[in-house]
Amino acid sequence: MRISPLPKFNNFNNKQFSEKKNTASFKGVYLEDIIDLGQASKETVPAQFLPGDALLLNKIAQEYPNQDCFIKKGYAGHAYLEFREKPPEVQIFSSTLYKRYTTAIDPDDKEYPCEKLILYPDSRLNRFIGMPSFISTNPSLPFTIKVGFELHKKLIEKKYQIKDALGKNDGINIGEESLIKRAHKEIEEVETALTRYLMECAFAALTDRASAKQIYASNYPKIQSRLDADRKLDLTVSAAKRPKIDPKDVENNKTDICEKVMEAYPYYEENKARIAELEEYMSSKGLGMN
């Protein structure tokens, strides 16, 4: 399944087309039930986000209807991320003895595998980036997932570029690597640049200001009113007439994150060195820990 770029709003027809395509997507973000969400968890077991984070994650998922994100348990119980291209098949589920519906997803599917990006299972970066809102204000887990979706979109684009080349040139051989692994290597420098960008955001957030918990708590009335408004909109307004989602509602930033980094992203080794420097500084200050 190819991912098409968003249409540019050059004329009325394009705008009308965009509004018609703005339909609610199926769940695109999945949370592993044993992950440690710290104070941002609504309940201890199973893991569950508080309304503010859940709302943001669902809004972000609607912007990427052809992709899935899996939030899994990684280093020190914190999150690591896997992404996959959503298969065109209808998802299979089964009913258990306890009357629960369960789905079976193969992370090693040859055509649509799950690929780890940004945060890895054994990475200590998840002490500084990709934390729930109560622990980290910037870059929080929803913000990091937004970056991951953008990166994964580029990964899929690279995958189909290689696939098209293979189809037209019989002499090309990628060896024993899978297509998605080869595509991942092709965008490795972009991933490192984005990781550095997230680390720079975390570094810039080290200032005296209101705590994440205070900021989150102050938004509860606004969050609840937004949830109520969305519910009424879904029940009373057809999909074609729903207003387009404003990017400001997701990240307060109209600029595409990947484009922002790629304007003049530095060399791979320079990126790696800067990430190590930032991580060492934050570790020395005991930052990013619960």
Side-chain angles (χ1 to χ4, degrees):
M1 182 185 297
R2 294 177 183 274
I3 290 191
S4 302
L6 293 174
K8 294 183 178 179
F9 303 142
N10 294 330
N11 55 51
F12 176 76
N13 289 333
N14 276 342
K15 186 175 181 181
Q16 205 173 36
F17 171 79
S18 175
E19 290 175 350
K20 289 181 179 178
K21 294 293 287 183
N22 182 33
T23 57
S25 64
F26 286 105
K27 198 76 171 179
V29 178
Y30 296 84
L31 177 68
E32 190 170 18
D33 56 2
I34 61 172
I35 198 170
D36 179 12
L37 292 174
Q39 292 173 304
S41 177
K42 190 174 181 180
E43 297 176 4
T44 304
V45 179
Q48 185 177 356
F49 284 112
L50 285 167
D53 287 318
L55 174 62
L56 271 177
L57 289 169
N58 282 321
K59 289 298 182 184
I60 290 170
Q62 287 184 25
E63 293 188 339
Y64 304 93
N66 296 317
Q67 301 177 59
D68 286 325
C69 172
F70 300 92
I71 308 170
K72 301 195 66 179
K73 183 178 181 179
Y75 176 83
H78 302 322
Y80 83 87
L81 303 177
E82 288 186 355
F83 295 84
R84 73 161 182 169
E85 181 181 4
K86 196 187 295 289
E89 294 84 6
V90 175
Q91 178 67 55
I92 301 297
F93 74 94
S94 60
S95 299
T96 69
L97 294 174
Y98 302 100
K99 297 182 179 180
R100 293 179 181 270
Y101 294 163
T102 61
T103 59
I105 295 174
D106 180 9
D108 298 317
D109 186 295
K110 290 184 178 180
E111 188 68 23
Y112 304 100
C114 296
E115 192 70 2
K116 301 173 184 64
L117 296 172
I118 303 293
L119 293 178
Y120 289 79
D122 56 350
S123 173
R124 299 192 176 201
L125 286 175
N126 60 8
R127 294 179 300 168
F128 315 122
I129 64 177
M131 301 289 282
S133 294
F134 271 18
I135 305 165
S136 173
T137 51
N138 185 15
S140 65
L141 185 57
F143 186 88
T144 306
I145 288 174
K146 169 74 173 178
V147 175
F149 269 129
E150 287 287 343
L151 180 64
H152 187 248
K153 184 165 66 173
K154 291 186 179 294
L155 174 67
I156 296 174
E157 289 171 351
K158 180 61 67 175
K159 165 190 166 182
Y160 282 111
Q161 287 176 12
I162 298 173
K163 197 170 185 179
D164 288 344
L166 286 171
K168 296 172 184 176
N169 302 278
D170 295 334
I172 294 180
N173 184 356
I174 62 173
E176 297 181 358
E177 287 182 322
S178 66
L179 194 59
I180 199 70
K181 293 294 182 187
R182 177 58 185 268
H184 195 167
K185 281 190 175 181
E186 293 288 329
I187 66 160
E188 193 173 42
E189 188 168 351
V190 184
E191 181 178 17
T192 307
L194 287 169
T195 305
R196 172 178 167 177
Y197 172 72
L198 291 169
M199 287 295 290
E200 295 282 3
C201 287
F203 183 76
L206 302 180
T207 56
D208 294 330
R209 61 183 186 183
S211 70
K213 186 172 183 178
Q214 290 171 326
I215 294 171
Y216 195 97
S218 68
N219 285 332
Y220 265 118
K222 183 166 62 176
I223 292 166
Q224 191 59 54
S225 64
R226 178 61 186 269
L227 287 169
D228 291 340
D230 279 358
R231 190 178 299 109
K232 290 177 182 177
L233 194 66
D234 288 340
L235 290 173
T236 59
V237 181
S238 67
K241 294 182 179 180
R242 290 175 193 162
K244 185 180 183 298
I245 297 172
D246 190 337
K248 290 187 294 184
D249 292 336
V250 177
E251 57 173 295
N252 294 320
N253 188 348
K254 290 185 178 180
T255 305
D256 177 88
I257 297 168
C258 281
E259 289 180 1
K260 187 173 183 180
V261 175
M262 292 297 292
E263 285 174 354
Y265 73 91
Y267 295 106
Y268 181 74
E269 293 302 326
E270 183 181 336
N271 267 323
K272 296 290 285 185
R274 183 64 174 144
I275 291 171
E277 178 185 336
L278 288 166
E279 185 176 3
E280 182 179 354
Y281 174 82
M282 299 175 105
S283 294
S284 69
K285 298 295 183 181
L287 299 166
M289 303 296 287
N290 283 353

